[in-house]
Amino acid sequence: MNRTIFTNIPAPIDDLPNGWDSATPIGNGFLGAMIYGDPISDVIQINEETIWGGHYGLDRVNPKSKDSWLKARELIIEGRIKEAESLVASDMYPTRHDPAWYDTAGYYRFDHKHTSYSDYKRSLDLNDAVCTVSYTADGVAYKREYLSSNPDSVIAVNYTANGERNINLSFDMTRRGCDNTDEIVLCENGIYLIATEPDNGCRYCVMAGTDSDGCVIYNEKGFEVYDASYLTVYITARTTHRSEDIVAWCDEKLAVAMEKGYDSIKADHIADYRSYFDRVSLEIEGEDRSDVPTDQRIGSAVEDNALAALYFDFARYLLISSSRPGSLPANLQGIWNHHRYAPWGGKYTININAEMNYWPAEVMNLPELHMQLLEHLKVMLPNGRRVAKEMYGLNGFVAHHNTDMFGDCAPVDHWMPATIWPMGAAWILTHVKTHFDYTGDVEFLREYLPIMKEACLFFTEYLFEYKGDLVTGPSLSPENTYIHPSGEAGQLCVGPAMDSQILHDLFSDTLFAAKLLGEEDELTAKVGQMLPRLPKPQIGKHGNIMEWCEDYEETEIGHRHISHLYGLYPSDQFTYEDTPELMKAARATLERRLSHGGGHTGWSRAWIINMWARLRDGEKAGQNVEALLTRSTYPNMFDKHPPFQIDGNFGGAAGIAEMLLQSQNGNIVLLPALPKEWSKGSIDGFKARGNITVKMEWADGKVKYAKLTSLSGHGFNAGVDGNGTVVSCDGAGIRVKVPEGCNVICTGNSVEFFG
Ligand code: FUC
């Protein structure tokens, strides 16, 4: 299947970093690069995911907080919001703002001796994760390939040209836009630079070496290559976070790469990448526009079904390229960032963005890549315990709305609409049950139950009774502002809807896991008593789900966060079957947000797609996919917040999957929200909860064939109830909605539907 993103123009390099959003990303989970692909001046911007600036691991908790946070709670309850804000600002804000941030390894360039060129093409083949640039200069056809290999830990740039020895270029290791502490050193396998982060002493090495049949002459800044018929440049990078001897580490990787040679490195890279990518396929039939450059398809309002499928595949590519066993989770930019201080520090914003990065991981059949987010909880845990103790005087595990490479859990900054929000760890922990639901991995659940219990412990001590319910506070509804009846605008509150909904999941998931594993104890007994006392979603005067526990007006009705619909998606607390009134109110909430300009950031639009899918409104979901592709996508297909933020890529892909297949609440539904434009298509290898894979073909908007297979070996049974044929997979606790007009055949651990 053709899955190529391509353009007929190089990314502009006149005024770097302009053009970055047109450049092509490659990555191996740890080492990323943006390929500008200019024939004359070939610029590559490089990232190593552990190059972080700023201060690490600081104890930033405000020592006054322990004695003041309960007072802040009282002031909020009394409606003295401004006073509560001043107290929070003086006593709960962290002693230090935004301590650490994601940095870049800088821009590097290869200058070629051409003066002009023609027939230019730059493409990224998603089937094998290789970026190719081709052009003609002085009658010679040139070709370059760029890849970032996970098995060999190197970026390889391979230059070839037809005819005799036509490759001539110079490489300059001097970085643009980085500080001047770089030391450039020649070594046995090439040349490297060593840089030191100013505030924290982290050192990193970027090393480049060559394999060529031409004449390669190294100088103090890089090298010159003359009269080569081929040239491969290998580049790698390492920080002192990962290795003591960073030069030796890079040297060894380059030595192995040179010995192995480009063809084998490429073959191993493709095999490794395909072991993830080939698990799944999606096709949505429509007009064939595959000969139109992708940057021209993005942003044009033409109905382009294949572009939506390509967007889904690109998200799979991005997850495989930014999240690998042993790597950090994908941050706000995945691993691709050209800034010295990435937007929002390039950290993990855990009041939506980092979680959204992993929404599609399971349905895409990439469960082991979901683990990077979950593994990070272990880095956060010791900090979260300390923050619970020092900031609140309580036991257990708490994190606020940001974390970083070092697992920081204190409030991140001094921004009232976001910072004092104690739900970050709890939200990530809801992904534990999701991973278990998809994989059925009991040992995994056993490993994470103690962390879930620690988060529960915090909330059992922290929640308080307010108007008969158990609520959070001081908290806020991420990052929205309400108008208090007194006329004052504020953010601090008690018991915002999202907090109660997240806690509903954390508590229920913990009780489920403890019961399954025989790990019930005093704490789970307490959690069991508290769960029914959490506030239930309420319906407000606009027929909407109430965002706060009072029916406040809000200052920005089209706000990008739609936190009070967490219960609709990603959670499954609102359903047509059990809570139709909440589904109606969720729809009213979404319509109100959208009619006031909502969905203006890429990630917000992506969330909205998922919500419409849950509301089973294919037309609305489809319109929002189109809005994502036309308004919130850069020419290289990166999500546009703006600026670039990778969450929209992942959230958008999750939404596309959610339109085709849903499996929450123990029910598998095929084609739950199909827009009429997507009338024909197919999926294969998608995962549903219950450890079930799904293959399906549809035409005229209806299922023609589907096969569901339980990877846990459970059988499917067809029976009849008042509603007709019912298929269940009891071992997985799953029922399957029989698609309209389909015959059913159950065989062993599969069920097939014929339409
Ligand atoms: C949240 C969002 C912003 C942005 C930032 C990284 O604060 O409200 O839109 O995505 O995270």
Side-chain angles (χ1 to χ4, degrees), residues 30-49:
F30 304 82
L31 194 57
M34 294 296 285
I35 310 302
Y36 280 65
D38 189 279
I40 297 169
S41 192
D42 188 10
V43 169
I44 301 184
Q45 183 267 317
I46 294 179
N47 289 104
E48 198 284 343
E49 63 163 3

Side-chain angles (χ1 to χ4, degrees), residues 225-243:
V225 179
Y226 299 97
D227 303 330
S229 55
Y230 77 87
L231 163 70
T232 308
V233 181
Y234 298 108
I235 303 172
T236 195
R238 195 70 168 175
T239 70
T240 43
H241 292 302
R242 288 250 158 92
S243 296

Side-chain angles (χ1 to χ4, degrees), residues 670-748:
L670 304 175
L671 302 181
L674 192 73
K676 59 178 177 318
E677 293 77 12
W678 293 8
S679 64
K680 189 162 192 282
S682 64
I683 60 174
D684 199 3
F686 277 44
K687 282 292 292 288
R689 289 173 182 81
N691 202 17
I692 290 166
T693 54
V694 179
K695 177 181 167 68
M696 166 172 66
E697 287 157 25
W698 71 93
D700 304 320
K702 297 211 158 51
V703 175
K704 291 289 157 206
Y705 174 74
K707 182 173 185 182
L708 277 57
T709 306
S710 160
L711 299 183
S712 303
H714 299 305
F716 287 84
N717 292 303
V720 177
D721 73 4
N723 298 317
T725 310
V726 181
V727 172
S728 61
C729 180
D730 294 331
I734 287 280
R735 280 160 73 98
V736 189
K737 189 160 184 282
V738 178
E740 208 188 300
C742 278
N743 293 322
V744 181
I745 296 182
C746 298
T747 327

Side-chain angles (χ1 to χ4, degrees), residues 332-333 343-344 347-353 401-402 415 418 478-479 559-561 600-601 603 641-642 645 647:
L332 278 173
Q333 286 83 20
W344 288 283
K347 296 188 288 283
Y348 303 98
T349 309
I350 51 178
N351 67 6
I352 175 74
N353 317 84
H401 96 294
N402 252 253
W415 198 52
E479 306 178 10
H559 198 269
R560 62 194 179 285
H561 287 261
H600 48 279
T601 65
W603 64 258
H641 179 290
Q645 225 171 260
D647 41 21

Side-chain angles (χ1 to χ4, degrees), residues 519-570:
E519 297 286 349
E520 288 165 306
D521 53 20
E522 238 175 80
L523 176 73
T524 54
K526 191 154 181 203
V527 169
Q529 286 157 13
M530 293 176 92
L531 174 63
R533 300 190 56 205
L534 296 173
K536 307 280 172 297
Q538 299 183 70
I539 297 175
K541 55 181 171 288
H542 301 289
N544 55 312
I545 300 282
M546 273 166 53
E547 181 159 358
W548 294 276
C549 63
E550 309 295 338
D551 199 4
Y552 296 137
E553 293 297 343
E554 51 200 320
T555 55
E556 189 188 335
I557 301 171
H559 198 269
R560 62 194 179 285
H561 287 261
I562 317 177
S563 308
H564 40 326
L565 297 197
Y566 166 92
L568 176 66
Y569 189 93

Side-chain angles (χ1 to χ4, degrees), residues 463-484:
L463 294 181
F464 72 105
E465 187 170 326
Y466 178 67
K467 297 191 176 169
D469 290 326
L470 291 177
V471 301
T472 57
S475 186
L476 42 88
S477 186
E479 306 178 10
N480 208 356
T481 302
Y482 62 81
I483 303 168
H484 192 266

